[in-house]
Amino acid sequence: MTTGVVVADDEALVRMGLRMLLDAEDDLAVLAEAADGRTAVEAARRTGADVVVMDVRMPGLDGIAATRALAAAGSPARVLVLTTFDDHATVDAALRAGVAGFLLKTAPPEELLEAVRRVAAGQGALDPDVVPGVVAAYGRTAAAPARPAVLDALTPRESEVLALVARGLANAEVAARLHLGETTVKTHLGRILDKLAMPDRPRLIAWAWEHGVVTS
């Protein structure tokens, strides 16, 4: 099954490079390009794309506003932000807008390809380089709110997995820390996402820190 992608970036050379990278993969295909957010929304709806690789800073409608517009229009397309901006305000705004992934343009090509596939599969993707910033920001600002009642639905093992994932550990690192198989960690994570009604890993991490599930 081929994943259809819309590439949205105001720089033509960036769009060209992304198209060449994505189209070289048997399971990925660029359906359209867009130089601004409004065109990206229209292209995603017109083509029925699975994923929109979206820059943040674009003329007219920016990437975050375009993500909100896609959600408001009921589009099934999932947004993977690809940007040079790694400040907490940008990451936080993107996650709150409903992006399924956040990746920096400094990421290697293979990481981008994996992120597109993860986002398309509903797993979400968060650049390891931005996780410390998310953790630090929420760790500083969280006011130790009351423990969310929904956490009572988690098993002790799921709670352990959540705490480690929220600190930015990859599945393999969680598995090593808890002496589990990586497949077992993925299973636990899937159940956590279902029980907490979280769409993907990036928003799970932000939610955990925002609600004081873990502290710095």
Side-chain angles (χ1 to χ4, degrees):
M1 181 176 177
T2 301
T3 296
V5 182
V6 168
V7 172
D9 195 292
D10 60 345
E11 296 187 29
L13 285 176
V14 172
R15 296 197 306 273
M16 181 187 302
L18 289 173
R19 176 182 281 277
M20 291 175 63
L21 176 67
L22 295 167
D23 279 346
E25 301 296 304
D26 293 338
D27 60 330
L28 304 174
V30 175
L31 305 180
E33 297 179 16
D36 59 77
R38 194 172 305 283
T39 305
V41 173
E42 295 171 351
R45 297 186 65 187
R46 182 182 72 254
T47 62
D50 302 295
V51 176
V52 180
V53 177
M54 186 94 73
D55 190 16
V56 170
R57 305 290 173 87
M58 292 185 290
L61 199 68
D62 65 26
I64 292 172
T67 299
R68 296 194 190 100
L70 280 170
S75 171
R78 297 171 64 80
V79 176
L80 169 62
V81 162
L82 184 64
T83 181
T84 58
F85 300 96
D86 62 352
D87 58 284
H88 171 66
T90 300
V91 179
D92 183 62
L95 293 177
R96 292 181 186 278
V99 304
F102 192 102
L103 200 64
L104 297 178
K105 287 184 177 179
T106 53
E110 59 271 16
E111 193 170 312
L112 171 61
L113 294 172
E114 177 64 16
V116 171
R117 293 183 176 109
R118 288 180 58 83
V119 166
Q123 299 175 12
L126 188 60
D127 195 305
D129 287 343
V130 308
V131 172
V134 173
V135 168
Y138 281 116
R140 287 194 303 269
T141 60
R147 183 178 185 275
V150 69
L151 291 174
D152 293 338
L154 301 184
T155 66
R157 180 62 85 187
E158 288 167 353
S159 296
E160 291 177 328
V161 171
L162 171 59
L164 294 175
V165 168
R167 290 186 179 280
L169 274 67
N171 287 350
E173 295 172 313
V174 175
R177 187 77 63 89
L178 298 179
H179 305 290
L180 299 172
E182 191 170 348
T183 299
T184 301
V185 171
K186 291 180 180 179
T187 299
H188 283 311
L189 181 57
R191 289 173 180 163
I192 292 167
L193 292 170
D194 288 341
K195 290 180 179 181
L196 301 185
M198 290 287 118
D200 47 52
R201 191 189 200 103
R203 270 168 285 183
L204 176 66
I205 293 174
W207 180 90
W209 282 91
E210 188 175 15
H211 289 80
V213 174
V214 286
T215 57
S216 56

